[in-house]
């Protein structure tokens, strides 16, 4: 559900601006971005604001690795600006752009056998595991939204497998 608010218009590249000395996003800018990101839309604006204050910002140059296999710190990443590709077995399995998240496997302590790499200069908001656990403990709707997001991703992957099996003639006949 979209909340009524005024979007901030930021001219130019955030990454370029940040690397040239302009301050990071403030809590209002972080909150406005997160209000439209699944699973954060399940939270009130006050709850998103509280999480936004606990998030850190990271920047990566194009081609720079964000994590390999599993993020040992267990973090959820949200793209502010740029694009990140998730690679597995030499194939891009996900591309995250502005307002999209990734890193749920590491956040849950599960090895994804994947590498996250900046496809272009990227600016990310990062939520640490302890803040995520606190948020899902305090707000069951947030936990359900997280599970729903995982279910949608699983369904999309199953649909891709099914389509590939149809192309290659794999699978079983009933």
């Amino acid at each position: 559900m979209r909340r009524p608010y005024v979007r901030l218009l930021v001219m130019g590249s955030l990454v370029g601006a940040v690397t040239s000395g302009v301050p990071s996003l403030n809590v209002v800018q972080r909150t406005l971005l997160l209000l439209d990101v699944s699973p954060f839309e399940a939270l009130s604006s006050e709850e998103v604001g509280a999480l936004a204050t606990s998030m850190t910002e990271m920047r990566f140059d194009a081609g720079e690795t964000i994590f390999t296999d599993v993020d040992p710190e267990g973090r959820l990443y949200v793209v502010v600006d740029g694009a990140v590709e998730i690679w597995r077995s030499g194939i891009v399995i996900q591309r995250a752009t502005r307002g999209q998240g990734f890193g749920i496997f590491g956040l849950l302590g599960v090895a994804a056998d994947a590498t996250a790499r900046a496809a272009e200069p990227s600016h990310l908001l990062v939520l640490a595991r302890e803040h995520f656990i606190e948020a899902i403990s305090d707000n069951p709707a947030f936990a359900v939204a997280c599970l729903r997001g995982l279910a949608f991703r699983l369904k999309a992957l199953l649909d891709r497998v099914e389509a590939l099996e149809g192309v290659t003639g794999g699978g079983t006949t009933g």
Side-chain angles (χ1 to χ4, degrees):
M1 176 175 107
R2 299 251 189 239
R3 292 179 176 83
Y5 57 83
V6 177
R7 291 190 180 275
L8 296 176
L9 180 61
V10 180
M11 302 302 288
S13 169
L14 286 174
V15 173
V18 171
T19 56
S20 63
V22 174
S24 298
L25 296 178
N26 65 40
V27 70
V28 172
Q29 292 169 313
R30 290 178 181 190
T31 301
L32 290 175
L33 174 72
L34 293 171
L35 282 170
D36 282 335
V37 175
S38 176
F40 298 98
E41 76 250 353
L43 299 171
S44 71
S45 56
E46 292 79 17
E47 291 167 322
V48 173
L51 272 178
T53 61
S54 70
M55 296 176 87
T56 58
E57 296 181 47
M58 298 177 80
R59 289 161 191 81
F60 296 89
D61 292 327
E64 196 172 351
T65 298
I66 298 163
F67 64 79
T68 300
D69 187 31
V70 66
D71 178 10
E73 300 294 321
R75 297 176 282 209
L76 176 67
Y77 300 85
V78 176
V79 179
V80 174
D81 194 32
V84 174
E85 293 176 336
I86 311 300
W87 291 78
R88 184 176 177 149
S89 301
I91 299 169
V92 175
I93 59 169
Q94 180 187 0
R95 182 176 172 93
T97 57
R98 181 175 176 80
Q100 295 179 319
F102 63 95
I104 192 74
F105 287 106
L107 189 66
L108 299 173
V110 176
D113 299 324
T115 298
R117 188 173 298 124
E120 55 191 64
S122 297
H123 178 190
L124 310 175
L125 283 178
V126 184
L127 180 64
R129 178 184 290 131
E130 63 268 14
H131 298 293
F132 172 77
I133 298 298
E134 184 178 311
I136 62 172
S137 298
D138 292 345
N139 191 320
F142 183 58
V144 169
C146 291
L147 291 171
R148 186 174 165 87
L150 285 172
F152 280 127
R153 290 203 37 216
L154 178 59
K155 183 183 179 324
L157 290 173
L158 291 172
D159 290 346
R160 285 175 65 184
V161 168
E162 186 177 291
L164 288 172
E165 285 181 344
V167 169
T168 62
T172 59
T173 57

